[in-house]
Amino acid sequence: MSSRVDLSANQITLLQKSLDAKARGKIMDVPLGTPYDDHELETIARIGEEMTKEFTGPSHFKPGGWRVRFLLLDSEASNAYAYWMTSFEAICLTTAMAREIDLLCDVVAKSIVRDSKKGGGFAFLHEIDIAPEEKWAMLKGVLMQGAMAVFIGHEAGHLSAGHRPAITSSASATESEGTQAEDVLLYVDDVITAPAADEGPPPPLSLRLNAHEVDADVQGFGMTARYWQKRCDDIRAAKEFPPQATILKAACARPERLLLIASTGAAIAISLMGFKTFAADWNKQPTHPLTAVRCVVGLAALAKLLTGDEGAKSTLLLRPECMEALSVVHARLGTILRAAAKHDGKHSDLTLKLAGALNNDQRLQLMFNATGVAQAMTRSNDVVRYIAQLHAEFSACAPLRLHAIRALPNRLVEWSAVAAGETETQISGAPNSAGGQCA
Ligand SMILES: [Zn+2]
């Protein structure tokens, strides 16, 4: 009898064994065609399954590879993973992450609908003649797709761009389970850096891992942009569209609206990756770049891909739509932090400052500083130089990836980095053009 995750009993046992080794959660499964009991988890699972199929399907991946599964893991730790096994690949999202996506999309959608009458990029929502409750439910659905696209896209990006040989040969990255079993774990990717262990030496810094994480983000945003363009093409081609697509149809009417909605969903996902203080070690992270850096690089890439605006290539200056999306999400994060501090009486330096702020603008500025996004933007030339360094490393590793690339020709997104006012820092996409070593 087929089960929803569509893996053999043996495959499930082996994957569960690998997951248990790191306490990453229990695989959720039900008979094929059966919904999960929990309504929120069911919604996320359906988006995850359909998106995984689309991102790793025949329009993006070469034929003949393993089918990629989407799985929910029952776990209190918030994360997403890609598991490379010998006979299958799986993109996994924990239930804790699923619930956080649901909650943040809910509060952000409510605040956007409430404030749409005040103007701004979301003012078009105010013109749509449907009840506010229906509007936020519809907008929440669109934002959930936008947030899920970042997580599924990141993991599908690692798979499509053939990262495994490049990252498994990096000494700090191997996570072998032995070679005796018939289906073994080859590699696992975490979308979020695991919190540092209290004991033991700090993990080694890996330029190579950081470079491939940036590439996974960029490939993911490439898939995200195509996802939204396809949704809009479908709406334009349809003689009739379902009423629940009303908001998406209005967004598809203008590129800047679509970018605003797509960026808001993406900003929600990025903020769930957790922010770390933007300090002197901002460009010396062990495996994943700082979330603030991934945020600025990712949204700049999304804007360029969705609007075809080459201006975004010259610097990491974000378009107004991306800034508005970040502001909406940062404002909600601030409200959630203050409410939590009030509830449990545990105030942080940040919540005390937020409580003492004179107005919303001040609170927003405090939030942008706390997440490091403000610093990543003001130091965008430094960030660009760092991205150029990562790109040189990424290019140097191209021969390792060559035979593992799963994407169809021309499906991989090239990224480059050019600092404002500098002409020769540009790194082109040609393999090995930087002449560096795959360290
Ligand atoms: Zn990753």
Side-chain angles (χ1 to χ4, degrees), residues 50-83:
E50 280 163 25
M51 224 170 239
T52 301
K53 217 186 243 176
E54 187 168 328
F55 288 7
T56 65
S59 66
H60 189 94
F61 274 41
K62 292 183 229 172
W66 300 122
R67 230 192 71 204
V68 184
R69 265 64 165 203
F70 174 82
L71 307 175
L72 276 178
L73 301 178
D74 194 4
S75 167
E76 284 172 18
S78 193
N79 214 332
Y81 314 102
Y83 268 80

PDB file of all heavy atoms in Angstrom, residues 50-83:
ATOM      1  N   GLU A  50       3.986  19.972  -3.574  1.00  0.00           N
ATOM      2  CA  GLU A  50       3.816  20.478  -4.946  1.00  0.00           C
ATOM      3  C   GLU A  50       5.027  21.254  -5.409  1.00  0.00           C
ATOM      4  O   GLU A  50       5.481  21.140  -6.545  1.00  0.00           O
ATOM      5  CB  GLU A  50       2.550  21.348  -5.031  1.00  0.00           C
ATOM      6  CG  GLU A  50       1.300  20.484  -5.155  1.00  0.00           C
ATOM      7  CD  GLU A  50       0.019  21.239  -4.841  1.00  0.00           C
ATOM      8  OE1 GLU A  50      -0.006  22.473  -4.979  1.00  0.00           O
ATOM      9  OE2 GLU A  50      -0.972  20.582  -4.442  1.00  0.00           O
ATOM     10  N   MET A  51       5.585  22.066  -4.507  1.00  0.00           N
ATOM     11  CA  MET A  51       6.751  22.874  -4.873  1.00  0.00           C
ATOM     12  C   MET A  51       7.985  22.004  -5.127  1.00  0.00           C
ATOM     13  O   MET A  51       8.740  22.250  -6.057  1.00  0.00           O
ATOM     14  CB  MET A  51       7.026  23.852  -3.735  1.00  0.00           C
ATOM     15  CG  MET A  51       7.326  25.234  -4.187  1.00  0.00           C
ATOM     16  SD  MET A  51       7.318  26.308  -2.749  1.00  0.00           S
ATOM     17  CE  MET A  51       6.039  27.447  -3.212  1.00  0.00           C
ATOM     18  N   THR A  52       8.175  20.980  -4.307  1.00  0.00           N
ATOM     19  CA  THR A  52       9.317  20.077  -4.504  1.00  0.00           C
ATOM     20  C   THR A  52       9.203  19.409  -5.868  1.00  0.00           C
ATOM     21  O   THR A  52      10.188  19.301  -6.606  1.00  0.00           O
ATOM     22  CB  THR A  52       9.364  19.012  -3.386  1.00  0.00           C
ATOM     23  OG1 THR A  52       9.463  19.683  -2.129  1.00  0.00           O
ATOM     24  CG2 THR A  52      10.564  18.086  -3.548  1.00  0.00           C
ATOM     25  N   LYS A  53       7.972  18.987  -6.206  1.00  0.00           N
ATOM     26  CA  LYS A  53       7.744  18.361  -7.512  1.00  0.00           C
ATOM     27  C   LYS A  53       8.090  19.336  -8.638  1.00  0.00           C
ATOM     28  O   LYS A  53       8.741  18.987  -9.608  1.00  0.00           O
ATOM     29  CB  LYS A  53       6.260  17.965  -7.606  1.00  0.00           C
ATOM     30  CG  LYS A  53       6.020  16.652  -8.340  1.00  0.00           C
ATOM     31  CD  LYS A  53       4.532  16.441  -8.509  1.00  0.00           C
ATOM     32  CE  LYS A  53       4.036  15.208  -7.792  1.00  0.00           C
ATOM     33  NZ  LYS A  53       2.571  15.065  -7.885  1.00  0.00           N
ATOM     34  N   GLU A  54       7.648  20.579  -8.475  1.00  0.00           N
ATOM     35  CA  GLU A  54       7.887  21.574  -9.539  1.00  0.00           C
ATOM     36  C   GLU A  54       9.371  21.939  -9.636  1.00  0.00           C
ATOM     37  O   GLU A  54       9.934  21.996 -10.724  1.00  0.00           O
ATOM     38  CB  GLU A  54       7.045  22.822  -9.244  1.00  0.00           C
ATOM     39  CG  GLU A  54       7.074  23.849 -10.359  1.00  0.00           C
ATOM     40  CD  GLU A  54       6.022  24.945 -10.183  1.00  0.00           C
ATOM     41  OE1 GLU A  54       4.934  24.672  -9.642  1.00  0.00           O
ATOM     42  OE2 GLU A  54       6.296  26.088 -10.591  1.00  0.00           O
ATOM     43  N   PHE A  55      10.018  22.187  -8.489  1.00  0.00           N
ATOM     44  CA  PHE A  55      11.411  22.652  -8.497  1.00  0.00           C
ATOM     45  C   PHE A  55      12.385  21.554  -8.932  1.00  0.00           C
ATOM     46  O   PHE A  55      13.482  21.842  -9.399  1.00  0.00           O
ATOM     47  CB  PHE A  55      11.818  23.169  -7.112  1.00  0.00           C
ATOM     48  CG  PHE A  55      11.201  24.495  -6.735  1.00  0.00           C
ATOM     49  CD1 PHE A  55      10.238  25.097  -7.534  1.00  0.00           C
ATOM     50  CD2 PHE A  55      11.592  25.153  -5.569  1.00  0.00           C
ATOM     51  CE1 PHE A  55       9.665  26.309  -7.178  1.00  0.00           C
ATOM     52  CE2 PHE A  55      11.033  26.376  -5.207  1.00  0.00           C
ATOM     53  CZ  PHE A  55      10.071  26.949  -6.008  1.00  0.00           C
ATOM     54  N   THR A  56      12.024  20.278  -8.705  1.00  0.00           N
ATOM     55  CA  THR A  56      12.954  19.197  -9.048  1.00  0.00           C
ATOM     56  C   THR A  56      12.391  18.344 -10.189  1.00  0.00           C
ATOM     57  O   THR A  56      12.885  17.258 -10.454  1.00  0.00           O
ATOM     58  CB  THR A  56      13.237  18.293  -7.831  1.00  0.00           C
ATOM     59  OG1 THR A  56      12.028  17.628  -7.446  1.00  0.00           O
ATOM     60  CG2 THR A  56      13.777  19.074  -6.652  1.00  0.00           C
ATOM     61  N   GLY A  57      11.339  18.850 -10.843  1.00  0.00           N
ATOM     62  CA  GLY A  57      10.667  18.099 -11.910  1.00  0.00           C
ATOM     63  C   GLY A  57      11.302  18.317 -13.270  1.00  0.00           C
ATOM     64  O   GLY A  57      12.338  18.972 -13.392  1.00  0.00           O
ATOM     65  N   PRO A  58      10.639  17.772 -14.309  1.00  0.00           N
ATOM     66  CA  PRO A  58      11.236  17.766 -15.653  1.00  0.00           C
ATOM     67  C   PRO A  58      11.440  19.146 -16.273  1.00  0.00           C
ATOM     68  O   PRO A  58      12.205  19.266 -17.222  1.00  0.00           O
ATOM     69  CB  PRO A  58      10.226  16.950 -16.483  1.00  0.00           C
ATOM     70  CG  PRO A  58       8.992  16.873 -15.675  1.00  0.00           C
ATOM     71  CD  PRO A  58       9.363  17.053 -14.248  1.00  0.00           C
ATOM     72  N   SER A  59      10.785  20.186 -15.749  1.00  0.00           N
ATOM     73  CA  SER A  59      11.027  21.506 -16.346  1.00  0.00           C
ATOM     74  C   SER A  59      12.319  22.123 -15.815  1.00  0.00           C
ATOM     75  O   SER A  59      12.800  23.133 -16.319  1.00  0.00           O
ATOM     76  CB  SER A  59       9.849  22.447 -16.076  1.00  0.00           C
ATOM     77  OG  SER A  59       9.765  22.706 -14.697  1.00  0.00           O
ATOM     78  N   HIS A  60      12.883  21.526 -14.777  1.00  0.00           N
ATOM     79  CA  HIS A  60      14.117  22.084 -14.210  1.00  0.00           C
ATOM     80  C   HIS A  60      15.257  21.072 -14.184  1.00  0.00           C
ATOM     81  O   HIS A  60      16.407  21.411 -14.446  1.00  0.00           O
ATOM     82  CB  HIS A  60      13.852  22.608 -12.795  1.00  0.00           C
ATOM     83  CG  HIS A  60      14.996  23.385 -12.222  1.00  0.00           C
ATOM     84  ND1 HIS A  60      15.075  24.744 -12.324  1.00  0.00           N
ATOM     85  CD2 HIS A  60      16.127  22.981 -11.601  1.00  0.00           C
ATOM     86  CE1 HIS A  60      16.213  25.159 -11.778  1.00  0.00           C
ATOM     87  NE2 HIS A  60      16.859  24.108 -11.317  1.00  0.00           N
ATOM     88  N   PHE A  61      14.927  19.808 -13.848  1.00  0.00           N
ATOM     89  CA  PHE A  61      15.978  18.783 -13.701  1.00  0.00           C
ATOM     90  C   PHE A  61      16.084  17.924 -14.954  1.00  0.00           C
ATOM     91  O   PHE A  61      15.083  17.666 -15.627  1.00  0.00           O
ATOM     92  CB  PHE A  61      15.648  17.873 -12.500  1.00  0.00           C
ATOM     93  CG  PHE A  61      16.146  18.401 -11.177  1.00  0.00           C
ATOM     94  CD1 PHE A  61      16.046  19.739 -10.864  1.00  0.00           C
ATOM     95  CD2 PHE A  61      16.706  17.539 -10.237  1.00  0.00           C
ATOM     96  CE1 PHE A  61      16.490  20.217  -9.642  1.00  0.00           C
ATOM     97  CE2 PHE A  61      17.157  18.004  -9.004  1.00  0.00           C
ATOM     98  CZ  PHE A  61      17.045  19.349  -8.707  1.00  0.00           C
ATOM     99  N   LYS A  62      17.301  17.471 -15.239  1.00  0.00           N
ATOM    100  CA  LYS A  62      17.508  16.534 -16.341  1.00  0.00           C
ATOM    101  C   LYS A  62      16.780  15.231 -16.016  1.00  0.00           C
ATOM    102  O   LYS A  62      16.648  14.866 -14.851  1.00  0.00           O
ATOM    103  CB  LYS A  62      19.006  16.216 -16.481  1.00  0.00           C
ATOM    104  CG  LYS A  62      19.863  17.370 -16.943  1.00  0.00           C
ATOM    105  CD  LYS A  62      21.305  16.865 -17.115  1.00  0.00           C
ATOM    106  CE  LYS A  62      22.274  17.781 -16.417  1.00  0.00           C
ATOM    107  NZ  LYS A  62      23.636  17.326 -16.358  1.00  0.00           N
ATOM    108  N   PRO A  63      16.308  14.513 -17.045  1.00  0.00           N
ATOM    109  CA  PRO A  63      15.617  13.244 -16.768  1.00  0.00           C
ATOM    110  C   PRO A  63      16.592  12.188 -16.258  1.00  0.00           C
ATOM    111  O   PRO A  63      17.803  12.289 -16.470  1.00  0.00           O
ATOM    112  CB  PRO A  63      15.042  12.849 -18.134  1.00  0.00           C
ATOM    113  CG  PRO A  63      15.833  13.594 -19.144  1.00  0.00           C
ATOM    114  CD  PRO A  63      16.388  14.818 -18.479  1.00  0.00           C
ATOM    115  N   GLY A  64      16.054  11.208 -15.549  1.00  0.00           N
ATOM    116  CA  GLY A  64      16.873  10.059 -15.167  1.00  0.00           C
ATOM    117  C   GLY A  64      17.388  10.055 -13.737  1.00  0.00           C
ATOM    118  O   GLY A  64      17.879   9.046 -13.271  1.00  0.00           O
ATOM    119  N   GLY A  65      17.263  11.185 -13.021  1.00  0.00           N
ATOM    120  CA  GLY A  65      17.767  11.213 -11.640  1.00  0.00           C
ATOM    121  C   GLY A  65      16.729  10.693 -10.670  1.00  0.00           C
ATOM    122  O   GLY A  65      15.609  10.359 -11.051  1.00  0.00           O
ATOM    123  N   TRP A  66      17.112  10.617  -9.387  1.00  0.00           N
ATOM    124  CA  TRP A  66      16.154  10.187  -8.373  1.00  0.00           C
ATOM    125  C   TRP A  66      15.062  11.223  -8.220  1.00  0.00           C
ATOM    126  O   TRP A  66      15.308  12.408  -8.325  1.00  0.00           O
ATOM    127  CB  TRP A  66      16.843  10.019  -7.008  1.00  0.00           C
ATOM    128  CG  TRP A  66      17.939   9.020  -6.978  1.00  0.00           C
ATOM    129  CD1 TRP A  66      19.231   9.253  -6.623  1.00  0.00           C
ATOM    130  CD2 TRP A  66      17.868   7.623  -7.300  1.00  0.00           C
ATOM    131  NE1 TRP A  66      19.965   8.106  -6.714  1.00  0.00           N
ATOM    132  CE2 TRP A  66      19.148   7.082  -7.126  1.00  0.00           C
ATOM    133  CE3 TRP A  66      16.832   6.793  -7.729  1.00  0.00           C
ATOM    134  CZ2 TRP A  66      19.436   5.744  -7.351  1.00  0.00           C
ATOM    135  CZ3 TRP A  66      17.108   5.457  -7.964  1.00  0.00           C
ATOM    136  CH2 TRP A  66      18.402   4.947  -7.768  1.00  0.00           C
ATOM    137  N   ARG A  67      13.865  10.749  -7.935  1.00  0.00           N
ATOM    138  CA  ARG A  67      12.803  11.702  -7.609  1.00  0.00           C
ATOM    139  C   ARG A  67      13.075  12.242  -6.212  1.00  0.00           C
ATOM    140  O   ARG A  67      13.538  11.520  -5.341  1.00  0.00           O
ATOM    141  CB  ARG A  67      11.452  10.988  -7.646  1.00  0.00           C
ATOM    142  CG  ARG A  67      10.431  11.723  -8.485  1.00  0.00           C
ATOM    143  CD  ARG A  67       9.054  11.155  -8.275  1.00  0.00           C
ATOM    144  NE  ARG A  67       8.561  11.491  -6.953  1.00  0.00           N
ATOM    145  CZ  ARG A  67       7.631  10.769  -6.326  1.00  0.00           C
ATOM    146  NH1 ARG A  67       7.136   9.686  -6.864  1.00  0.00           N
ATOM    147  NH2 ARG A  67       7.202  11.152  -5.135  1.00  0.00           N
ATOM    148  N   VAL A  68      12.776  13.510  -5.996  1.00  0.00           N
ATOM    149  CA  VAL A  68      13.024  14.127  -4.697  1.00  0.00           C
ATOM    150  C   VAL A  68      11.708  14.171  -3.919  1.00  0.00           C
ATOM    151  O   VAL A  68      10.689  14.614  -4.451  1.00  0.00           O
ATOM    152  CB  VAL A  68      13.610  15.552  -4.862  1.00  0.00           C
ATOM    153  CG1 VAL A  68      13.957  16.147  -3.513  1.00  0.00           C
ATOM    154  CG2 VAL A  68      14.837  15.526  -5.767  1.00  0.00           C
ATOM    155  N   ARG A  69      11.740  13.713  -2.676  1.00  0.00           N
ATOM    156  CA  ARG A  69      10.541  13.709  -1.844  1.00  0.00           C
ATOM    157  C   ARG A  69      10.522  14.915  -0.911  1.00  0.00           C
ATOM    158  O   ARG A  69      11.576  15.418  -0.534  1.00  0.00           O
ATOM    159  CB  ARG A  69      10.517  12.453  -0.960  1.00  0.00           C
ATOM    160  CG  ARG A  69       9.751  11.293  -1.503  1.00  0.00           C
ATOM    161  CD  ARG A  69      10.355  10.758  -2.760  1.00  0.00           C
ATOM    162  NE  ARG A  69       9.830   9.449  -3.094  1.00  0.00           N
ATOM    163  CZ  ARG A  69      10.462   8.582  -3.856  1.00  0.00           C
ATOM    164  NH1 ARG A  69      11.645   8.888  -4.367  1.00  0.00           N
ATOM    165  NH2 ARG A  69       9.919   7.420  -4.129  1.00  0.00           N
ATOM    166  N   PHE A  70       9.309  15.309  -0.503  1.00  0.00           N
ATOM    167  CA  PHE A  70       9.163  16.320   0.553  1.00  0.00           C
ATOM    168  C   PHE A  70       8.618  15.624   1.793  1.00  0.00           C
ATOM    169  O   PHE A  70       7.635  14.884   1.715  1.00  0.00           O
ATOM    170  CB  PHE A  70       8.198  17.430   0.130  1.00  0.00           C
ATOM    171  CG  PHE A  70       7.922  18.400   1.244  1.00  0.00           C
ATOM    172  CD1 PHE A  70       8.804  19.435   1.517  1.00  0.00           C
ATOM    173  CD2 PHE A  70       6.803  18.248   2.058  1.00  0.00           C
ATOM    174  CE1 PHE A  70       8.572  20.305   2.577  1.00  0.00           C
ATOM    175  CE2 PHE A  70       6.566  19.125   3.116  1.00  0.00           C
ATOM    176  CZ  PHE A  70       7.460  20.154   3.367  1.00  0.00           C
ATOM    177  N   LEU A  71       9.264  15.853   2.920  1.00  0.00           N
ATOM    178  CA  LEU A  71       8.831  15.212   4.171  1.00  0.00           C
ATOM    179  C   LEU A  71       8.685  16.241   5.279  1.00  0.00           C
ATOM    180  O   LEU A  71       9.470  17.185   5.369  1.00  0.00           O
ATOM    181  CB  LEU A  71       9.883  14.202   4.643  1.00  0.00           C
ATOM    182  CG  LEU A  71      10.375  13.110   3.701  1.00  0.00           C
ATOM    183  CD1 LEU A  71      11.489  12.337   4.371  1.00  0.00           C
ATOM    184  CD2 LEU A  71       9.238  12.182   3.359  1.00  0.00           C
ATOM    185  N   LEU A  72       7.695  15.998   6.140  1.00  0.00           N
ATOM    186  CA  LEU A  72       7.606  16.774   7.380  1.00  0.00           C
ATOM    187  C   LEU A  72       8.243  15.938   8.485  1.00  0.00           C
ATOM    188  O   LEU A  72       8.015  14.726   8.556  1.00  0.00           O
ATOM    189  CB  LEU A  72       6.150  17.035   7.745  1.00  0.00           C
ATOM    190  CG  LEU A  72       5.435  18.218   7.097  1.00  0.00           C
ATOM    191  CD1 LEU A  72       3.995  18.254   7.581  1.00  0.00           C
ATOM    192  CD2 LEU A  72       6.124  19.537   7.400  1.00  0.00           C
ATOM    193  N   LEU A  73       9.045  16.576   9.317  1.00  0.00           N
ATOM    194  CA  LEU A  73       9.655  15.887  10.454  1.00  0.00           C
ATOM    195  C   LEU A  73       9.051  16.420  11.731  1.00  0.00           C
ATOM    196  O   LEU A  73       9.056  17.642  11.948  1.00  0.00           O
ATOM    197  CB  LEU A  73      11.166  16.136  10.493  1.00  0.00           C
ATOM    198  CG  LEU A  73      11.978  15.712   9.276  1.00  0.00           C
ATOM    199  CD1 LEU A  73      13.442  16.097   9.497  1.00  0.00           C
ATOM    200  CD2 LEU A  73      11.842  14.215   9.041  1.00  0.00           C
ATOM    201  N   ASP A  74       8.518  15.526  12.571  1.00  0.00           N
ATOM    202  CA  ASP A  74       7.985  15.966  13.847  1.00  0.00           C
ATOM    203  C   ASP A  74       9.167  16.318  14.750  1.00  0.00           C
ATOM    204  O   ASP A  74       9.930  15.437  15.145  1.00  0.00           O
ATOM    205  CB  ASP A  74       7.139  14.838  14.453  1.00  0.00           C
ATOM    206  CG  ASP A  74       6.295  15.341  15.608  1.00  0.00           C
ATOM    207  OD1 ASP A  74       6.322  16.563  15.866  1.00  0.00           O
ATOM    208  OD2 ASP A  74       5.612  14.519  16.245  1.00  0.00           O
ATOM    209  N   SER A  75       9.343  17.609  14.998  1.00  0.00           N
ATOM    210  CA  SER A  75      10.495  18.057  15.795  1.00  0.00           C
ATOM    211  C   SER A  75      10.235  19.434  16.366  1.00  0.00           C
ATOM    212  O   SER A  75       9.550  20.250  15.750  1.00  0.00           O
ATOM    213  CB  SER A  75      11.739  18.120  14.911  1.00  0.00           C
ATOM    214  OG  SER A  75      12.773  18.819  15.572  1.00  0.00           O
ATOM    215  N   GLU A  76      10.795  19.691  17.547  1.00  0.00           N
ATOM    216  CA  GLU A  76      10.640  21.015  18.158  1.00  0.00           C
ATOM    217  C   GLU A  76      11.737  21.971  17.707  1.00  0.00           C
ATOM    218  O   GLU A  76      11.711  23.158  18.025  1.00  0.00           O
ATOM    219  CB  GLU A  76      10.636  20.884  19.686  1.00  0.00           C
ATOM    220  CG  GLU A  76       9.292  20.347  20.166  1.00  0.00           C
ATOM    221  CD  GLU A  76       9.276  20.016  21.641  1.00  0.00           C
ATOM    222  OE1 GLU A  76      10.148  20.502  22.381  1.00  0.00           O
ATOM    223  OE2 GLU A  76       8.374  19.251  22.041  1.00  0.00           O
ATOM    224  N   ALA A  77      12.709  21.451  16.968  1.00  0.00           N
ATOM    225  CA  ALA A  77      13.776  22.327  16.446  1.00  0.00           C
ATOM    226  C   ALA A  77      13.334  22.860  15.091  1.00  0.00           C
ATOM    227  O   ALA A  77      12.817  22.123  14.263  1.00  0.00           O
ATOM    228  CB  ALA A  77      15.067  21.541  16.307  1.00  0.00           C
ATOM    229  N   SER A  78      13.520  24.166  14.900  1.00  0.00           N
ATOM    230  CA  SER A  78      13.069  24.794  13.673  1.00  0.00           C
ATOM    231  C   SER A  78      14.168  24.735  12.614  1.00  0.00           C
ATOM    232  O   SER A  78      15.207  25.372  12.770  1.00  0.00           O
ATOM    233  CB  SER A  78      12.715  26.248  14.000  1.00  0.00           C
ATOM    234  OG  SER A  78      12.016  26.822  12.953  1.00  0.00           O
ATOM    235  N   ASN A  79      13.953  23.943  11.553  1.00  0.00           N
ATOM    236  CA  ASN A  79      14.976  23.860  10.510  1.00  0.00           C
ATOM    237  C   ASN A  79      14.410  23.181   9.265  1.00  0.00           C
ATOM    238  O   ASN A  79      13.284  22.676   9.274  1.00  0.00           O
ATOM    239  CB  ASN A  79      16.212  23.094  11.001  1.00  0.00           C
ATOM    240  CG  ASN A  79      17.510  23.633  10.417  1.00  0.00           C
ATOM    241  OD1 ASN A  79      17.525  24.195   9.314  1.00  0.00           O
ATOM    242  ND2 ASN A  79      18.600  23.467  11.138  1.00  0.00           N
ATOM    243  N   ALA A  80      15.195  23.208   8.202  1.00  0.00           N
ATOM    244  CA  ALA A  80      14.882  22.463   6.973  1.00  0.00           C
ATOM    245  C   ALA A  80      16.168  21.799   6.527  1.00  0.00           C
ATOM    246  O   ALA A  80      17.260  22.333   6.754  1.00  0.00           O
ATOM    247  CB  ALA A  80      14.370  23.414   5.894  1.00  0.00           C
ATOM    248  N   TYR A  81      16.053  20.621   5.932  1.00  0.00           N
ATOM    249  CA  TYR A  81      17.239  19.863   5.526  1.00  0.00           C
ATOM    250  C   TYR A  81      17.061  19.274   4.140  1.00  0.00           C
ATOM    251  O   TYR A  81      15.940  18.994   3.725  1.00  0.00           O
ATOM    252  CB  TYR A  81      17.494  18.667   6.475  1.00  0.00           C
ATOM    253  CG  TYR A  81      17.392  18.963   7.936  1.00  0.00           C
ATOM    254  CD1 TYR A  81      16.251  18.596   8.658  1.00  0.00           C
ATOM    255  CD2 TYR A  81      18.429  19.604   8.611  1.00  0.00           C
ATOM    256  CE1 TYR A  81      16.150  18.860  10.014  1.00  0.00           C
ATOM    257  CE2 TYR A  81      18.331  19.868   9.963  1.00  0.00           C
ATOM    258  CZ  TYR A  81      17.188  19.501  10.665  1.00  0.00           C
ATOM    259  OH  TYR A  81      17.095  19.774  12.002  1.00  0.00           O
ATOM    260  N   ALA A  82      18.191  19.032   3.464  1.00  0.00           N
ATOM    261  CA  ALA A  82      18.173  18.175   2.269  1.00  0.00           C
ATOM    262  C   ALA A  82      18.986  16.949   2.635  1.00  0.00           C
ATOM    263  O   ALA A  82      20.106  17.069   3.130  1.00  0.00           O
ATOM    264  CB  ALA A  82      18.808  18.882   1.084  1.00  0.00           C
ATOM    265  N   TYR A  83      18.397  15.752   2.461  1.00  0.00           N
ATOM    266  CA  TYR A  83      19.108  14.502   2.721  1.00  0.00           C
ATOM    267  C   TYR A  83      19.416  13.819   1.400  1.00  0.00           C
ATOM    268  O   TYR A  83      18.522  13.556   0.602  1.00  0.00           O
ATOM    269  CB  TYR A  83      18.266  13.561   3.611  1.00  0.00           C
ATOM    270  CG  TYR A  83      18.575  13.739   5.080  1.00  0.00           C
ATOM    271  CD1 TYR A  83      18.023  14.781   5.796  1.00  0.00           C
ATOM    272  CD2 TYR A  83      19.455  12.874   5.722  1.00  0.00           C
ATOM    273  CE1 TYR A  83      18.336  14.966   7.138  1.00  0.00           C
ATOM    274  CE2 TYR A  83      19.768  13.049   7.067  1.00  0.00           C
ATOM    275  CZ  TYR A  83      19.204  14.099   7.768  1.00  0.00           C
ATOM    276  OH  TYR A  83      19.519  14.280   9.087  1.00  0.00           O
TER     277      TYR A  83
END
